[in-house]
């Protein structure tokens, strides 16, 4: 009987679902191909170094002499676009992008779909549709150029098939043998084109240096300039080569397909299979969005759903694969310790004589903050990006996170900006390309791993795509064990390289043994802090301490404590718990200013006197932001008052980065000196929701702030998106207008999560929350308790049946 009960309990445990779509294992093969060149309006490549690069270019062709001037290729800030981006996109399946090109008087729809999950390659297709805008000429001409090139010098691509045999046939077929990929055929076929629409197709095959393939636009315009065509066409010369341009000129609207067929699959990619793949990708996206990220009141109308889908899709559509060398200063100059007076001048002199090496090559799989302005990996941005994606596809998040951790050097350093290879460097001024091994960045990836542990231990539900690591706890634990040493190493590196001088702080109390300051400091900036021009002590001092740096150390200690507890690393757990306690003591003992009722940086004046440097703003919120203030904290009310005060941080459009009362408000660059930033507002919203759903002396006040701030933020980002067609890097605190970088669908996409947070307007607790799982307690034993109760019930039922059988047996005797 007892073994039977154990068998039933085991079956019940295995039956508990971990995703909303079942327990199937998702293969990384579905992540091989994609629009992984996010700096282009459309650029496709596999996650294989030195392999195939593809892209799309187009221009109005009414005047052939203007083609080069109007040719679109890389995403740009000021190129006559009314908007561009993915309306629905899933990294594993594909989706749809719309480009509203007002300059060329056309709307372009690109639809990408993968229809095979073969382990090495698989099939995919791309459909390109052009619709002339209302102000276009009746017979407007448009030229489209699709190109493919190989960065592998040993590969072969031949584009003579079909085109050479039958010149009147507009279809073009290229076949290739390439290292790292199976043999493939790529067919460019017209789809639903009127007989009078297609004017001509030309194929130009070239052999060029492999490291120049990414410069396809300049190569094409050079070829076009050298052509004697009066129609604006490159000379038709198909053949073998490592770069091929397929140029078409159309009149009016048109569609054509790009069909990739791998010989690893039994099926050939066709226009019909592409249509089915597109329909499946769009349908799957819509269904999963409804179950994962459906906006809550008051944002449940169709417009807000479309808005939220767009931001989520563009964040995932901005995921790229990068490969190349990184420029690193290896001089290890002693001035970089920044321990002397005028350290910033000494460090600048040391940088002028830096010993720069190109290290690597490295590879990175990462989202980007902005396809037009920041099309590369940024360390502190990525932690925010992945917090949006994690409930959509946890295994994708872990794949990206692992890619970042693989960049760590032997000391634990990860470059804060990943500028890998010449294509990435082409978007970055030369003075910002070199990375410095003593520069840190906010360690937001720790927040992602901590969130993974919460879902793995069933403290939080997971509604997304099937996850290997969540459906198989052993696999999840093995993943954690693999990255845990790297997390510890980065923590130790951060604490060592960003340590502050506490000699003069011991006078405040012997328990204050934690203090940190960002290296890379100048009088105007601390770029390494992520808050760039936020006001700090003037002049800089080698013994100043930064409250945000200390809080990030505390945040890492909390995350490592939870991870070590899950892995049953008891000694580590005790150590990190002690670190967390020490950090909290130092935060309140060193950085709290009673006269200002705020957390502040500190500096040293007159040789040994500690002085608070208070610039009320985002810095003042950091102990709250990283979760180091509980519902009964003695300074919580002051922090809430700072948040809600319209003369301090509160605005109708979100929380300002700096108080208007500060003398630096809105001055100089005004980057972090007034604007509303969504990433910091999101961190505030997380904490407010947590406190609003737990009893405490300020619960009612927190609920009111949470409810109002959520609506303000949702309206700000939505209204600007509706008006301009873009998400923005930051928002004006006086008007709510989006500003700085456009198409900033990096951490601004956190608004997707804010819209899905519960509406607490009614004053009652929500029945269900994706953020607070009421079936579990804070230690993650809720599900275990439920299963134990079910087991006891089963035992009780079987015991009663056993008693009845025993009584009948006795009666019969």
């Amino acid at each position: 009987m007892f073994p039977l009960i154990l068998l039933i309990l085991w079956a019940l445990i295995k039956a508990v679902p971990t995703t909303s779509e079942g327990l199937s294992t998702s293969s990384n093969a579905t992540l091989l191909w994609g629009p992984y060149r996010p700096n282009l309006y459309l650029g496709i490549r596999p996650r294989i170094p030195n392999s195939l690069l593809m892209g799309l270019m187009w221009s109005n062709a009414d005047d052939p002499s203007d083609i080069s001037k109007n040719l679109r290729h890389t995403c740009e800030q000021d190129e006559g676009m009314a908007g561009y981006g993915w309306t629905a996109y899933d990294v594993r399946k594909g989706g749809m992008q719309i480009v509203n090109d007002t300059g060329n008087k056309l709307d372009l729809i690109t639809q990408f779909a993968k229809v095979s999950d073969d382990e090495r390659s698989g099939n995919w297709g791309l459909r390109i549709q052009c619709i002339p805008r209302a102000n276009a000429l009746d017979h407007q001409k448009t030229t489209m150029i699709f190109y493919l090139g190989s960065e592998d010098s040993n590969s072969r691509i031949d584009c003579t098939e079909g085109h050479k045999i039958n010149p009147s046939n507009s279809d073009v077929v290229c076949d290739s043998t390439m290292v790292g990929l199976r043999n493939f055929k790529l067919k460019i076929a017209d789809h639903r084109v009127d007989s009078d629409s297609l004017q001509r197709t030309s194929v130009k095959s070239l052999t060029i240096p492999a490291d120049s393939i990414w410069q396809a636009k300049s190569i094409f315009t050079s070829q076009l300039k050298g052509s004697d065509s009066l129609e604006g066409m490159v000379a038709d010369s198909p053949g073998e080569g490592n770069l091929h341009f397929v140029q078409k000129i159309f009149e009016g609207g048109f569609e054509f397909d790009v069909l990739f067929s791998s010989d690893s699959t039994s099926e050939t990619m066709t226009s019909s299979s592409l249509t089915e793949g597109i329909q499946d990708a769009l349908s799957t996206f819509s269904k999963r969005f409804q179950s994962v990220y459906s906006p809550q009141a008051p944002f449940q109308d169709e417009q807000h759903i479309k808005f939220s889908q767009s931001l989520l899709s563009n964040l995932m559509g901005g995921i790229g694969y990068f490969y190349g060398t990184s420029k690193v200063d290896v001089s290890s100059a002693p001035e970089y310790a920044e321990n002397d007076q005028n350290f910033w001048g000494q460090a600048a002199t040391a940088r002028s004589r830096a010993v720069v090496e190109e290290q690597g090559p490295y590879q990175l799989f990462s989202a980007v903050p902005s396809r037009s302005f920041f099309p590369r990996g940024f360390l502190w941005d990525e932690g925010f990006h992945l917090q949006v994606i994690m409930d959509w596809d946890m295994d994708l998040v872990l794949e990206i996170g692992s890619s970042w951790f693989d960049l760590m050097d032997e000391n634990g350093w990860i470059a804060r900006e990943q500028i890998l290879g010449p294509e990435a460097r082409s978007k970055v001024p030369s003075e910002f390309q070199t990375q410095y091994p003593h520069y840190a960045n906010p360690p937001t990836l720790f927040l992602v791993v901590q969130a993974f542990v919460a879902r793995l231990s069933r403290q939080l539900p997971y509604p997304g795509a099937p996850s290997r690591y969540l459906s198989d706890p052993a696999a999840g634990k093995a993943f954690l064990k693999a990255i845990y040493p790297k997390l510890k190493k980065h923590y130790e590196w951060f604490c060592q390289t960003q340590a502050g001088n506490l000699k003069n702080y011991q006078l405040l109390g012997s328990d204050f043994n934690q203090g940190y300051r960002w290296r890379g400091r100048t009088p105007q900036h601390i770029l390494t802090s992520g808050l760039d021009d936020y006001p700090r002590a003037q002049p800089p001092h080698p013994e100043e301490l930064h409250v945000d740096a200390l809080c990030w150390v505390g945040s890492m200690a909390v995350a490592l404590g939870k991870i070590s507890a899950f892995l049953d690393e008891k000694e580590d757990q005790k150590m990190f718990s002690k670190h967390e306690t020490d950090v909290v003591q130092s935060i309140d003992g060193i950085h709290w200013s009673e006269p200002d009722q705020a957390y502040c940086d500190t500096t040293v004046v007159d040789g040994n006197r500690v002085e608070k440097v208070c610039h009320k703003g985002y810095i003042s919120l950091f102990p709250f932001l990283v979760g180091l203030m509980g519902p009964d904290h003695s300074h919580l009310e002051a922090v809430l008052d700072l948040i809600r005060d319209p003369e301090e941080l509160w605005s109708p459009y979100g929380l300002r980065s700096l108080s208007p009362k500060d003398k630096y408000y809105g001055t100089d660059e005004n980057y972090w000196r007034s604007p509303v930033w969504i990433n910091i507002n999101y961190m505030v919203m997380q904490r407010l929701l947590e406190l609003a759903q737990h009893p405490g002396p300020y619960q009612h006040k927190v609920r009111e702030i949470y409810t109002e701030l959520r609506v303000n933020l949702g309206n700000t980002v939505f209204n600007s998106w509706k008006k301009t067609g873009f998400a923005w890097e930051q928002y004006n605190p006086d008007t709510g207008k989006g500003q700085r970088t456009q198409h900033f669908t990096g951490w601004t996409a956190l608004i997707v999560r804010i819209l899905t947070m519960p509406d607490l307007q009614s004053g009652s607790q929500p029945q269900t929350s994706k953020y607070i799982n009421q079936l579990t307690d804070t230690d993650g034993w809720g599900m275990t308790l439920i299963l134990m109760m079910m087991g006891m019930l089963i035992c009780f039922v079987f015991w009663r049946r056993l008693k009845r059988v025993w009584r009948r047996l006795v009666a019969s005797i």
Side-chain angles (χ1 to χ4, degrees):
M1 182 63 67
F2 185 67
L4 178 61
I5 294 173
L6 289 178
L7 181 62
I8 294 171
L9 284 172
W10 178 84
L12 284 169
I13 292 171
K14 296 298 287 184
V16 175
T18 56
T19 79
S20 60
E21 301 182 39
L23 300 177
S24 62
T25 298
S26 55
S27 169
N28 282 338
T30 59
L31 300 176
L32 175 61
W33 288 100
Y36 294 148
R37 302 178 71 197
N39 59 310
L40 308 185
Y41 289 113
L42 185 71
I44 297 172
R45 68 163 300 156
R47 289 172 57 205
I48 298 175
N50 295 326
S51 58
L52 197 61
L53 297 185
M54 290 164 283
L56 183 70
M57 299 183 284
W58 71 90
S59 173
N60 179 279
D62 289 329
D63 184 348
S65 64
D66 286 339
I67 289 178
S68 295
K69 181 177 68 176
N70 297 320
L71 192 63
R72 309 295 193 231
H73 184 227
T74 56
C75 300
E76 301 294 342
Q77 289 260 95
D78 303 304
E79 203 171 47
M81 295 291 178
Y84 64 91
W86 297 89
T87 59
Y89 179 75
D90 175 73
V91 182
R92 296 186 188 275
K93 284 184 170 289
M96 180 169 71
Q97 178 182 224
I98 298 177
V99 180
N100 303 121
D101 186 351
T102 55
N104 280 315
K105 300 178 182 179
L106 60 85
D107 292 330
L108 202 66
I109 300 174
T110 65
Q111 297 172 296
F112 175 77
K114 310 178 201 181
V115 299
S116 174
D117 59 355
D118 173 76
E119 290 185 2
R120 285 190 59 187
S121 188
N123 295 347
W124 56 264
L126 170 67
R127 178 159 296 156
I128 299 156
Q129 178 184 7
C130 175
I131 304 172
R133 295 180 71 87
N135 62 340
L137 298 175
D138 289 341
H139 300 285
Q140 173 174 284
K141 289 185 178 180
T142 302
T143 184
M144 305 293 298
I145 305 98
F146 184 86
Y147 68 87
L148 65 157
S150 173
E151 295 180 301
D152 176 17
S153 57
N154 296 317
S155 67
R156 179 190 66 84
I157 302 177
D158 189 336
C159 293
T160 58
E161 182 181 335
H163 186 74
K164 185 176 181 180
I165 297 172
N166 183 5
S168 64
N169 184 0
S170 63
D171 291 354
V172 176
V173 178
C174 301
D175 63 76
S176 176
T177 301
M178 188 171 294
V179 176
L181 286 172
R182 300 278 182 92
N183 294 348
F184 67 83
K185 285 186 180 292
L186 187 138
K187 181 178 182 181
I188 301 170
D190 297 319
H191 182 71
R192 297 181 183 174
V193 175
D194 296 335
S195 58
D196 296 331
S197 176
L198 177 63
Q199 300 295 302
R200 186 179 169 190
T201 298
S202 181
V203 179
K204 182 68 174 180
S205 300
L206 302 170
T207 299
I208 65 169
D211 58 3
S212 298
I213 299 294
W214 67 273
Q215 297 174 296
K217 180 179 178 179
S218 61
I219 295 170
F220 174 81
T221 55
S222 177
Q223 292 291 320
L224 188 63
K225 186 177 180 180
S227 171
D228 58 2
S229 170
L230 299 178
E231 300 172 300
M233 300 286 288
V234 293
D236 185 52
S237 57
E240 285 195 13
N242 64 349
L243 179 61
H244 305 264
F245 296 104
V246 179
Q247 182 183 10
K248 293 175 176 285
I249 285 189
F250 295 94
E251 195 172 276
F254 57 85
E255 286 185 22
F256 68 93
D257 294 344
V258 179
L259 307 170
F260 180 95
S261 300
S262 169
D263 71 354
S264 65
T265 62
S266 58
E267 301 291 332
T268 298
M269 190 71 181
T270 66
S271 290
S272 296
S273 54
L274 173 57
T275 299
E276 294 174 2
I278 292 169
Q279 292 172 347
D280 177 59
L282 297 180
S283 174
T284 301
F285 176 87
S286 178
K287 291 176 182 177
R288 193 189 303 169
F289 182 86
Q290 186 175 4
S291 66
V292 177
Y293 279 139
S294 182
Q296 301 302 299
F299 304 112
Q300 294 172 304
D301 58 274
E302 285 299 319
Q303 282 191 315
H304 281 90
I305 292 172
K306 179 181 177 182
F307 158 70
S308 189
Q309 289 178 336
S310 172
L311 265 64
L312 174 65
S313 296
N314 281 292
L315 172 61
M316 294 194 292
I319 292 174
Y321 174 79
F322 309 92
Y323 181 78
T325 59
S326 177
K327 291 186 175 181
V328 178
D329 177 11
V330 298
S331 64
S332 300
E335 294 90 339
Y336 291 158
E338 301 181 10
N339 289 328
D340 299 327
Q341 301 290 340
N342 191 35
F343 62 80
W344 59 95
Q346 296 173 357
T349 301
R351 287 195 298 274
S352 69
R353 59 173 189 268
V355 179
V356 179
E357 288 185 358
E358 286 195 26
Q359 296 186 350
Y362 305 113
Q363 57 183 332
L364 176 66
F365 191 41
S366 176
V368 302
S370 167
R371 290 170 61 190
S372 60
F373 203 72
F374 299 113
R376 53 193 178 275
F378 286 78
L379 181 57
W380 98 289
D381 293 61
E382 195 61 14
F384 291 111
H385 299 161
L386 298 185
Q387 288 184 68
V388 181
I389 303 172
M390 68 170 61
D391 277 337
W392 182 267
D393 189 333
M394 180 59 80
D395 288 9
L396 169 62
V397 164
L398 299 181
E399 185 80 4
I400 292 173
S402 297
S403 181
W404 272 96
F405 290 128
D406 286 345
L407 296 171
M408 187 180 297
D409 74 0
E410 66 276 7
N411 298 315
W413 172 68
I414 304 174
R416 67 186 187 91
E417 192 170 348
Q418 295 296 325
I419 312 169
L420 304 181
E423 185 171 13
R425 285 196 279 272
S426 69
K427 283 278 191 176
V428 184
S430 58
E431 63 267 27
F432 296 112
Q433 292 180 7
T434 300
Q435 303 298 299
Y436 298 90
H438 63 292
Y439 282 3
N441 221 204
T444 55
L445 290 177
F446 280 69
L447 303 176
V448 176
V449 180
Q450 182 178 337
F452 169 62
V453 173
R455 286 155 179 80
L456 186 60
S457 60
R458 306 297 189 266
Q459 294 178 41
L460 289 176
Y462 171 68
S467 168
R468 171 195 173 194
Y469 298 105
L470 293 178
S471 63
D472 181 358
K477 193 168 187 177
F479 174 85
L480 282 177
K481 283 186 175 181
I483 66 167
Y484 181 59
K486 294 183 179 181
L487 295 172
K488 288 178 61 179
K489 182 183 289 187
H490 186 68
Y491 175 76
E492 292 163 359
W493 170 86
F494 191 107
C495 293
Q496 179 182 0
T497 60
Q498 312 304 301
N501 185 342
L502 293 172
K503 179 183 65 175
N504 288 303
Y505 293 87
Q506 299 302 319
L507 300 175
L508 300 176
S510 59
D511 292 332
F512 308 144
N513 59 10
Q514 295 285 318
Y516 299 89
R517 63 185 177 96
W518 301 103
R519 300 313 195 265
R521 167 91 150 100
T522 70
Q524 296 78 30
H525 299 97
I526 310 183
L527 300 180
T528 51
S529 73
L531 304 182
D532 295 24
D533 67 336
Y534 192 97
R536 306 281 182 158
Q538 292 296 343
H541 193 282
E543 294 180 46
E544 68 187 32
L545 297 179
H546 304 137
V547 63
D548 53 328
L550 175 60
C551 289
W552 282 119
V553 170
S555 176
M556 285 191 285
V558 170
L560 287 168
K562 293 181 182 297
I563 297 166
S564 59
F566 186 84
L567 296 176
D568 200 29
E569 299 281 350
K570 291 183 172 57
E571 290 302 314
D572 281 2
Q573 184 184 0
K574 286 193 291 185
M575 177 182 68
F576 290 123
S577 178
K578 176 65 165 56
H579 289 184
E580 178 188 349
T581 300
D582 291 345
V583 167
V584 171
Q585 288 178 341
S586 294
I587 288 173
D588 288 328
I590 295 176
H591 290 283
W592 175 255
S593 171
E594 191 63 27
D596 295 284
Q597 288 291 288
Y599 291 103
C600 311
D601 287 344
T602 63
T603 191
V604 172
V605 298
D606 300 331
N608 62 359
R609 182 167 59 86
V610 174
E611 183 175 275
K612 303 291 193 301
V613 181
C614 290
H615 296 286
K616 291 184 180 179
Y618 286 167
I619 288 293
S620 314
L621 305 180
F622 260 85
F624 178 77
L625 297 179
V626 299
L628 297 177
M629 299 180 71
D632 300 312
H633 195 285
S634 59
H635 302 318
L636 178 58
E637 185 175 22
V639 171
L640 295 175
D641 288 342
L642 179 63
I643 288 172
R644 187 57 187 86
D645 189 344
E647 295 185 359
E648 299 284 8
L649 304 190
W650 189 268
S651 88
Y653 308 104
L655 300 183
R656 301 179 179 98
S657 43
L658 189 65
S659 169
K661 294 181 178 180
D662 195 281
K663 66 179 181 180
Y664 292 107
Y665 181 81
T667 60
D668 298 330
E669 297 172 30
N670 191 23
Y671 199 44
W672 290 85
R673 295 187 176 188
S674 76
V676 174
W677 291 82
I678 299 303
N679 63 326
I680 301 297
N681 276 265
Y682 171 74
M683 295 180 77
V684 172
M685 288 295 298
Q686 280 186 306
R687 300 284 81 78
L688 290 173
L689 178 59
E690 179 182 308
L691 294 174
Q693 296 184 321
H694 285 91
Y698 310 110
Q699 185 180 27
H700 179 72
K701 185 174 189 175
V702 167
R703 289 168 69 91
E704 289 183 338
I705 297 173
Y706 163 86
T707 297
E708 193 172 356
L709 181 58
R710 178 173 172 268
V711 172
N712 289 351
L713 292 169
N715 289 339
T716 296
V717 183
F718 171 76
N719 290 338
S720 183
W721 173 83
K722 186 177 179 181
K723 183 177 181 179
T724 66
F726 295 106
W728 293 82
E729 183 180 12
Q730 55 182 220
Y731 294 86
N732 189 292
D734 299 316
T735 66
K737 179 183 178 182
Q739 58 189 31
R740 295 276 183 168
T741 304
Q742 68 175 206
H743 209 283
F744 196 91
T745 47
W747 64 39
T748 298
L750 286 163
I751 199 69
V752 173
R753 291 189 70 91
I754 292 174
L755 265 56
T756 62
M757 289 179 175
D759 174 29
L760 304 183
Q761 182 71 41
S762 63
S764 60
Q765 293 282 356
Q767 293 181 350
T768 307
S769 171
K770 293 184 178 71
Y771 302 91
I772 306 294
N773 183 2
Q774 296 181 344
L775 290 179
T776 64
D777 60 22
T778 55
D779 292 323
W781 287 99
M783 186 59 70
T784 303
L785 181 60
I786 290 173
L787 293 174
M788 289 176 63
M789 293 174 65
M790 293 174 67
M792 292 172 64
L793 178 61
I794 293 170
C795 291
F796 176 72
V797 170
F798 274 97
W799 174 247
R800 292 194 62 179
R801 290 183 178 177
L802 185 61
K803 285 194 347 183
R804 285 198 296 267
V805 171
W806 176 256
R807 286 170 183 163
R808 290 172 187 165
L809 181 61
V810 171
S812 64
I813 295 174

